[in-house]
Amino acid sequence: MSVLDSKVPKGPLKTKWTDYKNKINLVNPANKRNIDVIVVGTGLAGGSASATLAELGYNVKTFCYQDSPRRAHSIAAQGGINAAKNYQGDGDSTYRLFYDTVKGGDYRSREANVYRLAEVSANIIDQCVAQGVPFARDYGGLLDNRSFGGVLVSRTFYAKGQTGQQLLLGAYSAMNRQIARGKITPFNRHEMLDVVKVDGKARGIIARNLVTGEIERHSAHAVVIASGGYGNVYFLSTNAMGSNATAAWKIHKKGAFFANPCYTQIHPTCIPRSGDYQSKLTLMSESLRNDGRIWVPKSLDDVKAIREGKKKPTDLSEDERDYYLERRYPAFGNLVPRDVASRAAKERCDAGYGVNATGEAVYLDFASAIERYGKEQAKIHNITNASAEKIYELGAAIVKAKYGNLFQMYEKIVDQDPYKTPMMIYPAVHYTMGGVWVDYNLMTTVEGLYCIGEANFSDHGANRLGASALMQGLADGYFVLPYTIGDYLSHEIRTGKISTDSPEFDAAEKEVKEKINFFIKNKGLHSVDYYHKKLGKIMWDKCGMSRNAEGLKEAMAEIKALREDFYKNVSVPGNANELNAELEKAGRVADFLELGELFAKDALVREESCGGHFREESVEIGGEQAGEAKRNDVDFAFVSAWEYKGEPADAVLHKEQLEFNEIELKQRSYK
């Protein structure tokens, strides 16, 4: 296997990026107009990169499978975006954001990339405000902040529960300006099905027009993949059903290494599944944990009564409730990192305390917040001896102003009023921590092929702090890639237009068409979803939050057998030369069936518990299963770092000290 060169600049972390930019090769404006760049994916990373590259003068082609970049899955991000501006004066800084991000990622992030991310974070907010993004503001008109899990400061900028949507509209408006100027040529309703390499360099893509079925060739001097994550390998996830791994997986098969494929973030605040008929799960913003308190009944008798409808959660007194995060992690309480909150919820439900019919739910309760805000508002409005009803009315209005659209969404799905009864939540597959390996320049192991945003592996390690996905996507697109790609493109000034009439394009198109024709002609017994659901069950049961060597070996064998059956018995109705959603899904599930096996293989060789994943054998801490197995320098990170207060005291084995030097953790990759 090739040696991976991260190309991280030498010198102290805090000066790496500045020094690097001062010495990097540039392309002058007159030459930029002769250089073409393809960007696959138009979410926050792809949209911001496309707009910025076009603004600089490059000719950009954008590709997305949606009918508009506005529908990219970035729109689903709700709670906010991190930035180290310290508007609250509560001690935040670039260093603290860097530290929290590396610590929250279980020390598996690339430190140089994360420090750069923290550095440029403040610029993102200025950029987005200039675009008109309607961030929330405080009473004085200044931008407001709220806190998110895993941190002790308020650094998250937000627009109610619609932050991703508003940021995406900002990037989309910047794209539209360049489309009007002719610097961006958009190809909506197109899906990239392969990358084309010429003399070892990425020189274009093969794409399918999803409306007509036409196979198209597109060339460029560089290709940027910004296609998001692969959480849908689990079938049930918080991702849109169209979110897929195809672009990232196709470049992997052409030589771009994957890193950390088995690390997946399990989001703690998802609406629980209600049956086997669902095709996706619905995410509730983590920002709800600012004011919501998470609990389960202390008594199994109460759990049984609630499940049978004999009791309501509001019938239980405070003494009958177990606010288990506040009990276990008093320093962070309900704002522990996502992996800690997810593992704790699963542990309580596995112990029998799940409160819904499937036994897979805990409560997220806003009663205390409503009362607290109500009393505060009563004082502000000089209302003496306010009744309980008035306090509730005043408090509910504040909660509605902060989270109203989220509460409305919950009520529409569950048919319960979360102002009057606690929400039910359960962990679900969300963001993918692994992805395509990239160096400091965001280039993959294929020359001229870049990968940004969630599709790459670099910034989050084994877990992600809330509100950092938007930060990474926009940092890569607005402030990092536009610099680093110039270093490569400065050597392409004399290359001239890349022709699509070449043996390499011929071969790639032929391979794509053969795959499509196979699916159309293969009159099998089962639908694509039949196989996707089976794969998802294997992945969740054996490669999800709980993992062990035996189960992972079984998963690899089962996925291989499922893949073989898929190619024998999958049925794809319709034709290739038309809008055909089943054909689209067939190609994507074929990629998931390959990625799933790599996923399990990677998990098998990682013997530690890390991020959101338990690795057996588990140990007992204070009479409760903590789910950690190996006792080494980075295991038990969630115990020591997040101040577990259980007994016995010697369960806290290590106090990790982050090393700010030129260490880069080895990333296992498979070609």
Side-chain angles (χ1 to χ4, degrees):
M1 187 175 72
S2 303
V3 175
L4 298 177
D5 181 6
S6 68
K7 295 185 173 64
V8 173
K10 297 190 182 302
L13 275 172
K14 65 181 180 180
T15 61
K16 282 184 191 294
W17 180 231
T18 301
D19 292 345
Y20 185 71
K21 287 191 295 181
N22 288 339
K23 298 171 184 175
I24 203 167
N25 290 320
L26 302 175
V27 181
N28 81 41
N31 288 326
K32 284 174 182 165
R33 66 177 68 107
N34 298 318
I35 292 178
D36 303 323
V37 180
I38 285 173
V39 179
V40 179
T42 54
L44 285 181
S48 58
S50 301
T52 308
L53 292 171
E55 181 79 38
L56 289 172
Y58 296 108
N59 306 309
V60 180
K61 289 182 178 181
T62 61
F63 293 81
C64 68
Y65 67 78
Q66 301 95 342
D67 61 352
S68 166
R70 297 192 313 276
R71 298 189 188 279
H73 194 56
S74 303
I75 201 172
Q78 297 166 336
I81 177 171
N82 289 329
K85 277 188 169 291
N86 195 34
Y87 280 174
Q88 306 299 306
D90 55 1
D92 201 11
S93 64
T94 296
Y95 175 86
R96 186 174 289 277
L97 175 55
F98 158 73
Y99 180 86
D100 288 345
T101 303
V102 175
K103 186 178 182 181
D106 267 354
Y107 305 92
R108 283 155 171 83
S109 312
R110 181 186 286 151
E111 293 176 9
N113 289 57
V114 176
Y115 198 91
R116 175 175 65 186
L117 175 67
E119 272 187 279
V120 305
S121 65
N123 298 338
I124 297 171
I125 305 304
D126 298 338
Q127 171 97 355
C128 294
V129 169
Q131 290 173 343
V133 174
F135 287 119
R137 296 178 180 268
D138 64 18
Y139 65 92
L142 300 177
L143 296 183
D144 198 11
N145 291 128
R146 58 188 177 199
S147 186
F148 257 60
V151 300
L152 296 174
V153 298
S154 293
R155 66 162 67 102
T156 304
F157 295 78
Y158 64 97
K160 278 196 173 181
Q162 307 167 357
T163 314
Q165 179 181 10
Q166 299 301 331
L167 292 172
L168 185 62
L169 290 173
Y172 180 60
S173 67
M175 281 184 66
N176 270 344
R177 180 170 178 269
Q178 300 307 320
I179 291 170
R181 293 180 62 224
K183 297 304 294 181
I184 292 179
T185 305
F187 291 88
N188 302 342
R189 303 298 283 133
H190 281 67
E191 184 167 30
M192 171 189 154
L193 295 181
D194 209 352
V195 65
V196 180
K197 289 167 57 179
V198 179
D199 297 329
K201 295 182 178 181
R203 291 304 196 191
I205 66 170
I206 305 297
R208 179 174 181 265
N209 183 321
L210 297 179
V211 177
T212 67
E214 182 182 357
I215 303 302
E216 302 175 2
R217 304 179 182 190
H218 296 273
S219 65
H221 297 89
V223 176
V224 180
I225 303 300
S227 55
Y230 47 86
N232 272 347
V233 70
Y234 285 93
F235 187 70
L236 281 181
S237 78
T238 64
N239 291 271
M241 287 304 292
S243 300
N244 62 84
T246 291
W249 191 248
K250 295 305 185 189
I251 69 171
H252 172 61
K253 295 180 77 170
K254 287 293 181 72
F257 284 18
F258 248 67
N260 304 343
C262 77
Y263 289 149
T264 309
Q265 184 173 73
I266 314 294
H267 199 291
T269 54
C270 178
I271 296 178
R273 69 181 182 91
S274 54
D276 295 332
Y277 55 84
Q278 286 179 254
S279 60
K280 77 174 298 293
L281 299 171
T282 303
L283 174 70
M284 300 301 293
S285 170
E286 184 189 358
S287 63
L288 294 170
R289 291 198 283 145
N290 270 295
D291 288 311
R293 300 178 70 194
I294 297 171
W295 63 275
V296 292
K298 288 182 179 178
S299 165
L300 287 172
D301 290 336
D302 287 335
V303 172
K304 184 179 179 183
I306 288 172
R307 287 185 188 174
E308 293 175 351
K310 296 176 181 177
K311 276 190 176 181
K312 298 177 181 178
T314 50
D315 293 335
L316 272 60
S317 67
E318 287 290 297
D319 291 340
E320 295 172 316
R321 304 178 179 192
D322 177 15
Y323 295 96
Y324 57 88
L325 291 178
E326 298 172 28
R327 169 170 59 84
R328 295 179 181 180
Y329 314 103
F332 286 83
N334 295 294
L335 285 174
V336 293
R338 290 179 172 179
D339 57 337
V340 180
S342 296
R343 291 186 297 195
K346 185 176 189 300
E347 183 278 322
R348 288 290 78 196
C349 290
D350 288 350
Y353 291 89
V355 294
N356 68 346
T358 66
E360 295 176 335
V362 298
Y363 287 126
L364 180 64
D365 197 336
F366 284 83
S368 295
I370 290 172
E371 183 178 1
R372 182 177 73 252
Y373 285 129
K375 289 179 177 178
E376 181 182 89
Q377 289 298 304
K379 286 185 178 294
I380 290 172
H381 292 93
N382 201 27
I383 301 173
T384 57
N385 300 319
S387 65
E389 290 77 13
K390 187 62 177 178
I391 288 172
Y392 172 83
E393 177 189 333
L394 293 169
I398 297 298
V399 170
K400 184 176 182 179
K402 296 178 74 172
Y403 312 111
N405 62 309
L406 300 173
F407 277 52
Q408 183 182 41
M409 183 171 69
Y410 180 88
E411 185 172 6
K412 283 184 178 294
I413 293 171
V414 183
D415 195 27
Q416 291 181 3
D417 183 353
Y419 293 100
K420 297 180 178 178
T421 189
M423 288 183 179
M424 291 183 290
I425 58 169
Y426 191 71
V429 172
H430 184 46
Y431 195 92
T432 50
M433 299 297 102
V436 178
W437 185 92
V438 293
D439 62 17
Y440 191 72
N441 296 320
L442 305 180
M443 189 189 287
T444 70
T445 47
V446 174
E447 200 172 353
L449 182 59
Y450 291 79
C451 189
I452 61 177
E454 186 182 359
N456 79 31
F457 88 106
S458 64
D459 288 33
H460 303 306
N463 184 46
R464 174 174 69 83
L465 293 179
S468 63
L470 307 185
M471 177 175 61
Q472 186 209 350
L474 293 180
D476 285 356
Y478 282 137
F479 300 111
V480 179
L481 181 75
Y483 275 103
T484 63
I485 200 171
D487 188 45
Y488 171 76
L489 293 174
S490 65
H491 304 290
E492 297 292 327
I493 294 169
R494 297 183 179 87
T495 301
K497 201 76 174 174
I498 307 294
S499 172
T500 58
D501 186 15
S502 68
E504 291 84 358
F505 274 92
D506 291 343
E509 182 177 326
K510 180 174 180 287
E511 186 178 341
V512 165
K513 285 182 174 178
E514 286 175 351
K515 187 86 173 267
I516 289 172
N517 289 334
F518 165 80
F519 286 129
I520 294 298
K521 293 176 181 178
N522 192 62
K523 304 301 181 184
L525 302 172
H526 305 297
S527 69
V528 177
D529 280 348
Y530 169 87
Y531 290 99
H532 198 176
K533 287 180 180 179
K534 282 186 172 293
L535 173 64
K537 181 167 176 54
I538 296 169
M539 295 300 296
W540 180 253
D541 289 347
K542 297 179 179 179
C543 306
M545 295 183 72
S546 298
R547 299 172 176 178
N548 58 61
E550 183 181 355
L552 290 166
K553 289 174 183 176
E554 290 173 356
M556 288 162 60
E558 290 172 14
I559 294 169
K560 183 178 180 181
L562 185 65
R563 186 169 65 246
E564 290 172 356
D565 187 61
F566 171 81
Y567 280 106
K568 289 178 184 176
N569 289 313
V570 71
S571 175
V572 177
N575 298 310
N577 299 320
E578 64 180 2
L579 181 63
N580 190 336
E582 287 300 304
L583 177 60
E584 295 170 34
K585 284 196 291 186
R588 296 165 186 170
V589 172
D591 295 330
F592 282 138
L593 285 164
E594 294 178 357
L595 171 62
E597 190 173 345
L598 175 66
F599 195 118
K601 184 183 294 186
D602 183 46
L604 180 63
V605 297
R606 298 177 186 274
E607 297 183 351
E608 79 276 16
S609 291
C610 186
H613 311 295
F614 297 91
R615 182 65 183 255
E616 295 179 347
E617 302 78 23
S618 57
V619 299
E620 295 291 319
I621 295 182
E624 294 187 278
Q625 195 176 68
E628 300 288 355
K630 302 290 180 180
R631 301 187 175 201
N632 59 30
D633 288 341
V634 288
D635 298 331
F636 281 88
F638 85 102
V639 176
S640 56
W642 307 112
E643 303 182 40
Y644 187 96
K645 297 299 183 183
E647 297 294 337
D650 65 357
V652 180
L653 301 179
H654 300 282
K655 182 67 178 174
E656 292 82 0
Q657 296 296 324
L658 198 61
E659 296 181 7
F660 303 108
N661 54 23
E662 292 297 297
I663 292 175
E664 180 172 341
L665 297 176
K666 293 180 180 178
Q667 308 292 344
R668 291 190 181 93
S669 304
Y670 298 90
K671 189 171 181 180

